[in-house]
Amino acid sequence: MQSQKQFQRRFSFEFFPPKTDKGVTQLQTTRDKLAELNPDFFSVTFGAGGSTREGTKNTVIDLNSQGISTAPHLSCVGSNKEIISELLDTYKDNGVDRIVALRGDIPSGMGNTGYGEMRYANELVEFIREHSGDHFSLEVGAYPEFHPQAPNAEADLLNFKRKVDAGANSAITQYFFNVEAYFHFIDRLEKMGVDIPVVPGIMPIINFQKISQFSEMCGADIPRWIRKQMEAYGDDSDSIKKFGEEVVTRMCEELLDAGAPGLHFYTLNQSEASLNIWHNLGLDKERAEKIAF
């Protein structure tokens, strides 16, 4: 973890593009509450195969115009260089200076035919650099518990290094609930000579059933002791939220104390859980001091 301590801390929050007028209103409310924390940036997700391309673009441009840097997620799966070039130009013209560059998910039922011109995130990073030079700060994904489609752990580490070598500036991890996985991942990167900030992705626990289902798909391990306690609460949503807040707060404390270069919150377009964890960590003072100087 020594290399991560050299980087200045940064904090960010992730949204998804809303599909309804009610969702737009909720996102704006969430954005306004989280903006008071002076985050370094927001990010907006991109659906499988570009299914939310227009929604992501419109949401990013709107939020970015409100005074806090907002980064679009951009994936290469299901797209082509012409479409990506147009998006890059549009984002640049609208003052966007950060992109989260991902491979992306293949839409269900498309198999190998859904990849497009580029199959891997390192190809997307390389293309963005060729097209836009150093205009964009490029975030890439990282998987402390390893990508579920990687053939093995070593291959996944090499895939990550390819993204860095292609021009990535920093990384955001898939969420996890086991800090040792993150520490091990960083140690392996250090031994490989990889030296960029790798910011932990944090998933507040609001609905344990939904997080369990999603964790099965994305390969995020939920430690047995957490799962058993959550199961014991049954339908007691208040206890689930309280326990989840305590667990995630402690995890964030351990990460930051060990030198993690910030936190990236997966908000699910809700503010309360992220705000509670933020306040528990005492980050209000740290951010106020940063703005003052």
Side-chain angles (χ1 to χ4, degrees):
M1 285 288 293
Q2 291 300 316
S3 67
Q4 295 295 295
K5 294 180 180 180
Q6 68 178 295
F7 301 118
Q8 184 174 353
R9 281 182 178 178
R10 57 167 230 215
F11 298 91
S12 51
F13 298 91
E14 181 173 300
F15 307 132
F16 61 82
K19 296 181 180 179
T20 65
D21 291 342
K22 182 179 179 180
V24 170
T25 300
Q26 178 177 325
L27 175 56
Q28 187 62 53
T29 299
T30 297
R31 180 264 172 210
D32 290 345
K33 290 180 179 179
L34 295 177
E36 295 178 3
L37 307 179
N38 299 308
D40 292 281
F41 66 95
F42 295 130
S43 73
V44 180
T45 62
F46 195 75
S51 57
T52 67
R53 184 177 294 118
E54 287 301 309
T56 298
K57 181 181 69 175
N58 294 335
T59 302
V60 167
I61 291 173
D62 179 43
L63 295 181
N64 194 65
S65 70
Q66 297 181 45
I68 291 180
S69 175
T70 303
H73 288 211
L74 182 59
S75 70
C76 55
V77 164
S79 189
N80 59 56
K81 293 181 178 180
E82 181 180 357
I83 291 174
I84 292 172
S85 295
E86 292 176 357
L87 278 172
L88 293 173
D89 292 340
T90 298
Y91 287 136
K92 184 176 180 180
D93 291 343
N94 282 275
V96 174
D97 59 7
R98 185 186 300 269
I99 286 176
V100 182
L102 306 167
R103 186 200 74 169
D105 296 323
I106 302 173
S108 178
M110 292 189 69
N112 291 332
T113 63
Y115 277 104
E117 290 185 61
M118 294 175 280
R119 282 186 76 134
Y120 303 109
N122 65 287
E123 296 176 280
L124 176 59
V125 171
E126 185 177 359
F127 177 73
I128 294 172
R129 286 292 179 230
E130 291 173 354
H131 181 274
S132 304
D134 293 328
H135 174 78
F136 295 106
S137 178
L138 297 184
E139 309 282 341
V140 292
Y143 299 85
E145 295 172 312
F146 305 110
H147 195 286
Q149 295 177 1
N152 56 60
E154 295 302 312
D156 199 42
L157 287 165
L158 290 174
N159 287 338
F160 182 80
K161 187 175 186 300
R162 290 187 187 97
K163 293 186 283 190
V164 177
D165 292 342
N169 298 104
S170 50
I172 300 168
T173 77
Q174 173 63 276
Y175 73 84
F176 55 88
F177 298 106
N178 183 346
V179 294
E180 291 303 323
Y182 174 80
F183 296 150
H184 175 73
F185 183 74
I186 297 301
D187 287 343
R188 290 302 315 275
L189 294 181
E190 289 179 358
K191 292 175 182 177
M192 296 174 69
V194 175
D195 189 24
I196 65 170
V198 180
V199 176
I202 304 300
M203 177 68 82
I205 300 176
I206 302 171
N207 184 315
F208 185 69
Q209 182 178 3
K210 288 184 178 180
I211 287 182
S212 295
Q213 292 171 348
F214 188 65
S215 297
E216 286 290 328
M217 293 186 293
C218 71
D221 178 60
I222 301 177
R224 187 174 185 273
W225 69 275
I226 295 177
R227 186 180 295 278
K228 286 296 183 182
Q229 183 61 69
M230 287 294 187
E231 291 172 352
Y233 289 134
D235 296 329
D236 185 352
S237 59
D238 289 340
S239 293
I240 288 173
K241 290 179 182 179
K242 182 179 179 181
F243 178 67
E245 181 183 317
E246 293 172 354
V247 166
V248 177
T249 296
R250 288 200 300 269
M251 183 180 73
C252 291
E253 287 176 337
E254 188 171 352
L255 288 165
L256 293 175
D257 288 346
L263 302 170
H264 178 80
F265 291 88
Y266 296 104
T267 71
L268 303 179
N269 289 10
Q270 301 179 55
S271 62
E272 182 181 2
S274 297
L275 282 170
N276 289 343
I277 295 167
W278 180 279
H279 296 317
N280 292 342
L281 293 171
L283 293 174
D284 307 80
K285 181 179 179 181
E286 176 175 325
R287 301 307 287 173
E289 291 175 348
K290 176 182 178 181
I291 298 301
F293 289 96

